[in-house]
Amino acid sequence: MLKRTQIYFPEDMLFALKKRAYEEKTNVSNVIRKAISYFLLKEKKRDWVKDSLWNMVGAGSSKDKDLSISHDKYLYGK
């Protein structure tokens, strides 16, 4: 069952999607669904246990409790 949603695209991206849909003789919705399915399948197959960046999650600690919110302030003084 398909559910309706609304997505905003930059003009150049929408043009590219329409062009791809025309070339594949389908519609923009199908092109987007196909791209998202490919992306999700690729992410699902990713071996997060072996991902060196993923292994860094939680490795550090700080007395500052708002790092995820105020990281620009701490990194750049903004």
Side-chain angles (χ1 to χ4, degrees), residues 4-63:
R4 178 180 291 272
T5 188
Q6 186 171 2
I7 302 173
Y8 294 93
F9 291 105
E11 285 184 33
D12 58 332
M13 189 181 292
L14 183 58
F15 178 80
L17 286 166
K18 288 180 178 181
K19 183 175 182 266
R20 173 63 74 84
Y22 177 80
E23 291 167 352
E24 294 181 10
K25 296 178 176 54
T26 188
N27 57 44
V28 171
S29 296
N30 282 332
V31 172
I32 293 169
R33 280 192 293 271
K34 191 165 112 178
I36 292 172
S37 292
Y38 174 78
F39 170 78
L40 293 175
L41 180 65
K42 187 176 174 185
E43 286 297 303
K44 187 177 181 180
K45 289 182 177 181
R46 184 180 216 159
D47 188 353
W48 289 101
V49 175
K50 293 181 181 175
D51 189 308
S52 58
L53 288 176
W54 181 254
N55 290 328
M56 291 175 58
V57 172
S61 63
S62 173
K63 63 180 175 25

